[in-house]
Amino acid sequence: MRAIDIKGGKGPVSSLFLSSEIPKPVPAAGQALVRVKFFGINRMDLTQRAGLYQVPPQAGPILGVEFSGVIEELHERSNANSDEYFKAGDEVFGLAYGGAYAEYVAVSTLMLIHKSQEIPWEVAAGIPEVWVTAIQAMELIGGFSPGKSILWHAGASSVSIAGIQLSKALGASAIYATVGSQEKVDLCRSLGATTVWNYRESNWEQEVSKITNDKGVDIIIDFVGQNYFQMNLNSAGKDGRVVIVGMLSGAKISGKDIDLSPFVTKRLRVEGSRLRGRDLEYQRVLRDMLVNDALPGFIDGKFQVPIEKVFDWRDIQGAHSLMESNTIKGKIICKVT
């Protein structure tokens, strides 16, 4: 089959190319073979391409974890452990451990979702990874419940775009976000954020203190890492939770004077997570939460999946270059042609 490959196994954007010599996957027990129509680009793909990502053993060398497509065939035992029935010809979207940058991907039926006609193919391909990640960070780890306040860093990233909408739908008392441009401020406000700060123009830590009367925020979802670590501790409220799901500014904070007293005085919990390394049963729970909490919103139009650009997959280098620019507001999607 055809698939996007990497010259030498890892490298810069220029190492990506469309190969026609990739073995077509064969579905194992519990899996379906899906003919891919669209796939989503995620930041982890860039890290994996560069050889800096610890890929789970079941992922394989082909990039990509989210897709939409049509079931081509199923292993005879594929529906044995599933609450839903799948068959050849079903239109689906879903989450895989890897291999979505291809004409075909083999994936567990536990991670597939039937695609409603109201959801366009390109939109469906941009849902699974980011919305499941947002649900995991906010609900499973962050312990969200109605009435809590929440702060989403990198507010115009796809995960935070999902998270802001979920926070509003599930009854957050206040939804804060940090971004790097006025365009992104406007986007987050349009999605339901109550207050958005451009970190290039204001000190969001001081603004959090001011707007909350020094009480802080119940849940902080952070993609930045090093530069925001102390500020997150200072901005969290009593019994607050800081969830670290990215490290865009770096992972090491050595050489800095970190004040750990907020851990004790505010009884904070700081926890990190990476979704892709989780086992199938854990991911299945999140998939079910996505179906129950969010799928109706995609069907009736309440939830948006902003798409920055749809690329022909032959221009995969352009798609990765745009992701690396850090200027996007939403998903980058590729069409398999």
Side-chain angles (χ1 to χ4, degrees), residues 104-178:
Y104 296 92
V105 62
V107 59
S108 169
T109 56
L110 299 180
M111 297 308 297
L112 290 177
I113 300 170
H114 286 105
K115 189 188 82 68
S116 170
Q117 293 300 313
E118 290 86 355
I119 306 175
W121 286 106
E122 62 273 24
V123 171
I127 292 173
E129 168 66 16
V130 295
W131 282 78
V132 165
T133 299
I135 290 169
Q136 178 199 30
M138 175 181 167
E139 298 188 59
L140 287 194
I141 301 176
F144 178 85
S145 60
K148 288 190 175 183
S149 60
I150 189 166
L151 166 60
W152 293 89
H153 289 308
S157 68
S158 294
V159 175
S160 289
I161 285 172
I164 289 168
Q165 295 178 82
L166 279 169
S167 301
K168 180 180 179 181
L170 297 180
S173 60
I175 306 166
Y176 307 117
T178 64

Side-chain angles (χ1 to χ4, degrees), residues 93 113-114 116 119 290-300 303:
F93 59 103
I113 300 170
H114 286 105
S116 170
I119 306 175
L290 169 60
V291 170
N292 294 329
D293 294 348
L295 188 58
F298 299 124
I299 295 172
D300 66 20
F303 288 151

Side-chain angles (χ1 to χ4, degrees), residues 300-334:
D300 66 20
K302 179 173 70 175
F303 288 151
Q304 300 178 42
V305 183
I307 295 177
E308 180 75 20
K309 187 172 181 179
V310 177
F311 286 83
D312 185 297
W313 72 330
R314 291 177 174 82
D315 189 19
I316 188 63
Q317 294 185 11
H320 272 229
S321 294
L322 181 57
M323 175 67 80
E324 288 183 339
S325 73
N326 294 324
T327 60
I328 62 173
K329 305 178 295 299
K331 289 296 298 184
I332 299 173
I333 304 293
C334 286

Side-chain angles (χ1 to χ4, degrees), residues 180-249:
S181 72
Q182 185 58 46
E183 279 186 320
K184 293 179 179 181
V185 169
D186 296 340
L187 172 64
C188 292
R189 285 176 177 164
S190 73
L191 295 171
T194 51
T195 306
V196 187
W197 297 289
N198 182 342
Y199 65 81
R200 301 181 194 277
E201 298 178 353
S202 63
N203 184 317
W204 64 263
E205 180 189 357
Q206 294 177 2
E207 295 298 323
V208 166
S209 177
K210 187 185 304 181
I211 203 169
T212 64
N213 294 317
D214 293 325
K215 290 182 179 179
V217 182
D218 294 317
I219 304 166
I220 298 175
I221 313 296
D222 182 39
F223 304 85
V224 178
Q226 172 185 286
N227 290 352
Y228 281 6
F229 187 78
Q230 184 68 65
M231 299 168 78
N232 286 334
L233 298 183
N234 297 341
S235 300
K238 281 194 174 180
D239 297 308
R241 298 189 182 185
V242 179
V243 183
I244 301 175
V245 290
M247 297 170 286
L248 292 173
S249 67

Side-chain angles (χ1 to χ4, degrees), residues 278-298:
R278 298 284 193 170
D279 63 43
L280 185 57
E281 284 305 313
Y282 181 94
Q283 293 197 18
R284 178 189 188 179
V285 170
L286 288 166
R287 177 261 182 210
D288 291 347
M289 293 175 71
L290 169 60
V291 170
N292 294 329
D293 294 348
L295 188 58
F298 299 124

